Amino acid sequence: MRDTNHEEKLNGGFTLLECLIALSLMTGLLLFLTPFIKQVNRLWEYQEDASYLEVQIGKRQLEHEIEALTLLEVKPAALVYKKVVDGKADERIVFDMYEDKLRKKPGFQPIIVGLKSVSFIEFDSLIEMTLVTLEGEEYVYFLKK
């Protein structure tokens, strides 16, 4: 004779006790991981805020830099100014993209970092500056000529 209870146990699936243990383990893991998931969300929000602040500070710095300069030319990816001292044009100042930075030349002074692209469009009394960050956020600003 065969033991039918033994065969039913092998083919019957999970017992109620096994299901409860698995459920309690998954609940414990979820409770354990929840603070880490929240921390990742906080870091992501902080990173977005930091990117926004970086762009805002860079925009303000660019506005401050161009206050004392005279506009020569607006190119799609660069602004060209001249610095006038005592009525004489001293040097050309160019703001353009280099790698992931909007920089000031001559020299290499980064104005805004973490950019994917920058574009400039000239209007009557304004310059539209469009910035796209590495995270894909797009910012549009207007600069005085």
Side-chain angles (χ1 to χ4, degrees), residues 7-143:
E7 286 180 18
E8 286 177 16
K9 215 174 202 181
L10 290 177
N11 297 328
F14 296 108
T15 65
L16 180 60
L17 183 61
E18 291 169 331
C19 287
L20 289 174
I21 290 172
L23 185 62
S24 66
L25 285 174
M26 289 193 318
T27 304
L29 280 173
L30 184 64
L31 289 173
F32 178 71
L33 292 176
T34 301
F36 294 110
I37 294 170
K38 287 181 181 178
Q39 183 67 21
V40 167
N41 286 338
R42 276 191 232 121
L43 288 173
W44 182 258
E45 290 171 3
Y46 175 77
Q47 210 286 327
E48 287 176 355
D49 290 343
S51 174
Y52 175 75
L53 288 175
E54 170 70 31
V55 170
Q56 292 298 318
I57 291 169
K59 175 194 155 280
R60 183 62 195 120
Q61 182 181 354
L62 179 62
E63 289 173 336
H64 179 72
E65 293 276 347
I66 65 176
E67 281 177 356
L69 303 175
T70 304
L71 181 66
L72 289 178
E73 182 180 5
V74 177
K75 298 179 181 178
L79 295 174
V80 181
Y81 286 88
K82 69 178 175 179
K83 186 176 184 180
V84 178
V85 178
D86 297 327
K88 297 179 183 177
D90 273 358
E91 61 182 331
R92 291 172 56 106
I93 309 292
V94 179
F95 297 93
D96 65 350
M97 276 290 292
Y98 178 75
E99 295 178 355
D100 67 339
K101 300 164 189 64
L102 178 64
R103 68 175 177 176
K104 176 185 172 186
K105 295 188 307 187
F108 182 84
Q109 179 185 354
I111 303 294
I112 305 172
V113 297
L115 296 177
K116 188 184 294 183
S117 68
V118 63
S119 63
F120 301 101
I121 300 172
E122 184 175 11
F123 293 106
D124 290 335
S125 61
L126 298 172
I127 301 168
E128 178 184 302
M129 176 176 66
T130 305
L131 305 170
V132 179
T133 64
L134 294 174
E135 292 81 26
E137 299 166 338
E138 185 173 316
Y139 300 96
V140 178
Y141 299 105
F142 292 95
L143 305 170

